[in-house]
Amino acid sequence: MSRVVVTGRIPDTAIEKLRAEHEVDAWSGPESIRRDELLRRVAGADAIVSLLTERVDAELLDAAGPQLKVVANVAVGYDNIDVPACVERGVVATNTPGVLTDATADIAFGLILMATRRLAEGERLIRSGQAWKWGMFFLLGSSLQGKTLGVVGMGGIGQATARRAKAFGMEIVYQSRSELDPTIAAELDARRVDLEELLSVSDVVSLHCPYGPATHHLIGAEQLATMKSSAFLVNTARGPIVDEDALATALREGSIAGAGLDVYEHEPRVHPGLLGLDNVALLPHLGSATVETRTAMAMLAADNALAVLSGERPPAAIS
Ligand code: DGY
C-alpha cells in the first residue's frame, strides 16, 4: 500500500478509487492548503495528486522524498509543475487532457458571445436599476456570421472552439506549431497562418496555447496594435500569455473593440485597469467548471496516479 497526498478538494468518487488501493491523505479545508502545511504533509508520499493552485517545484518534490513516483495534476495545463525537476528526480508528471475540451470550448465561445454581443454589459445595466428601453442604437454589438475567428494553438480545445465558430458561420484561421490533420482542416475549412497574419485578419482572436517561457506575453502591445480596432480578444488558456497592462491600455484607448477573459496574469488578482472597463467580460477561471468535467478530471488524475503506483504507463503522462 502506497501513500497518496491530495493537495485540495476533489470529487469523492476519485478519492474512493484511490482509497480502494492506497492510504490517502486528502486536504479538505475550505481554503487552499498553506504551503508549510503542504510541505509537511507530502513527506513520505509515493504519489501527489495536485491542483493547479499548488506549486509543485523542487522544494516540494524534495520535501516528499526519494520514494515519490508520480505527480498527477488535476488539470490539463501544468504550468504549476516544474516538469524538469520531476524528470531529474525520476518522478512521472501527468495531466488530464481531453476530458475538459468541450467544457473549456463552451466557455471560450460563451466569452466570444459575451464580448461581441455585450451580454455582461446588458446584465449589469438591468441589475443597476437604470432606466432602459428598446432603441435602434441601444447596446449594439457585432455579429459573428461571416467574420473570422483566429485560433492561437490548435490542439483539442482550439479545434472544439473552431467547431463552435463554424456552426455560427465564422471562417477559421489558426496558428499552431504543427499543421492540422487534413481531415479536421477540411471539416473546419481552416487555414494555417503565422501569428502576425492571424492578428491582422481576425475579428475574434481566441487563445488556446499552453503557457511557458515561449508564450509569456505572446500578446503584448505590439500584437494588440496589429489587431483590427473592431476585433475582440478571448483568453481561456493562461493569464500570463497576455500582457494585461497592454491589454487594459488597448481596451481603454479603443485600439481593439473588446475582450473576454477567464484567466488572469496574476490570478486570482484581476488587473485594476480592467475592472472599470465595460468592453471586457470577466469570468473567474470557469473553463472546466462543470460537475461532469471536474469528476472526469479527478478520475483521470486518479487513474494516472494508480497506473504509475502499480508500475504501468499512465494514460496521460507529461514526462
Ligand atoms: C486546466 O485544466 O488547465 C484548466 O485551466 C482548469 O480549469
Side-chain angles (χ1 to χ4, degrees):
M1 191 178 262
S2 299
R3 180 157 183 272
V4 180
V5 171
V6 184
T7 71
R9 289 183 58 210
I10 63 171
D12 288 344
T13 44
I15 296 284
E16 281 154 21
K17 187 160 197 182
L18 291 164
R19 250 190 204 133
E21 294 184 42
H22 300 289
E23 178 202 324
V24 178
D25 176 4
W27 176 252
S28 57
E31 303 289 336
S32 293
I33 189 166
R34 280 203 334 262
R35 180 74 177 177
D36 56 344
E37 175 69 17
L38 180 60
L39 289 170
R40 198 180 60 70
R41 283 196 182 213
V42 294
D46 302 284
I48 298 175
V49 175
S50 55
L51 301 190
L52 52 77
T53 39
E54 273 70 59
R55 216 172 58 249
V56 180
D57 54 10
E59 182 190 36
L60 190 80
L61 298 169
D62 291 341
Q67 77 299 326
L68 182 68
K69 294 177 192 61
V70 55
V71 171
N73 214 31
V74 191
V76 65
Y78 49 86
D79 46 305
N80 60 314
I81 299 184
D82 183 341
V83 178
C86 289
V87 173
E88 250 171 57
R89 290 161 180 77
V91 173
V92 178
T94 68
N95 67 342
T96 62
V99 293
L100 45 74
T101 298
D102 283 316
T104 309
D106 288 346
I107 287 291
F109 216 81
L111 279 170
I112 292 173
L113 287 169
M114 283 176 80
T116 58
R117 297 300 304 274
R118 306 176 66 178
L119 303 184
E121 257 182 278
E123 226 257 348
R124 277 197 298 276
L125 180 96
I126 297 274
R127 285 184 190 277
S128 75
Q130 271 181 67
W132 66 275
K133 63 177 184 202
W134 186 93
M136 183 60 85
F137 300 102
F138 177 57
L139 275 185
L140 297 191
S142 309
S143 298
L144 293 176
Q145 290 77 9
K147 301 277 176 65
T148 298
L149 173 71
V151 179
V152 179
M154 200 56 147
I157 300 172
Q159 290 170 33
T161 304
R163 211 161 273 124
R164 284 155 178 72
K166 200 78 206 147
F168 274 71
M170 298 185 80
E171 307 290 328
I172 314 293
V173 294
Y174 72 98
Q175 184 256 330
S176 202
R177 276 174 304 191
S178 49
E179 194 76 52
L180 262 184
D181 172 287
T183 320
I184 298 172
E187 173 207 336
L188 296 173
D189 196 13
R191 189 166 62 87
R192 187 173 174 215
V193 294
D194 62 24
L195 183 61
E196 198 179 338
E197 181 176 349
L198 181 144
L199 293 169
S200 63
V201 302
S202 297
D203 300 291
V204 179
V205 173
S206 192
L207 304 178
H208 299 285
C209 50
Y211 174 67
T215 54
H216 180 77
H217 285 186
L218 182 73
I219 306 296
E222 191 186 324
Q223 290 70 30
L224 290 161
T226 307
M227 289 172 66
K228 298 179 187 179
S229 58
S230 55
F232 297 83
L233 176 72
V234 167
N235 188 7
T236 53
R238 283 292 182 267
I241 297 171
V242 176
D243 176 347
E244 271 181 8
D245 264 335
L247 177 62
T249 304
L251 288 167
R252 196 181 57 245
E253 294 178 351
S255 84
I256 65 169
L261 306 176
D262 188 40
V263 288
Y264 301 90
E265 190 171 352
H266 304 288
E267 205 169 305
R269 190 173 77 82
V270 178
H271 191 293
L274 296 172
L275 288 171
L277 295 174
D278 261 334
N279 57 350
V280 58
L282 304 169
L283 295 180
H285 203 148
L286 297 180
S288 63
T290 73
V291 173
E292 296 85 347
T293 305
R294 288 284 161 82
T295 303
M297 289 163 71
M299 291 304 267
L300 179 51
D303 286 342
N304 280 326
L306 291 172
V308 176
L309 290 175
S310 50
E312 289 157 23
R313 211 184 140 62
I318 303 163
S319 61

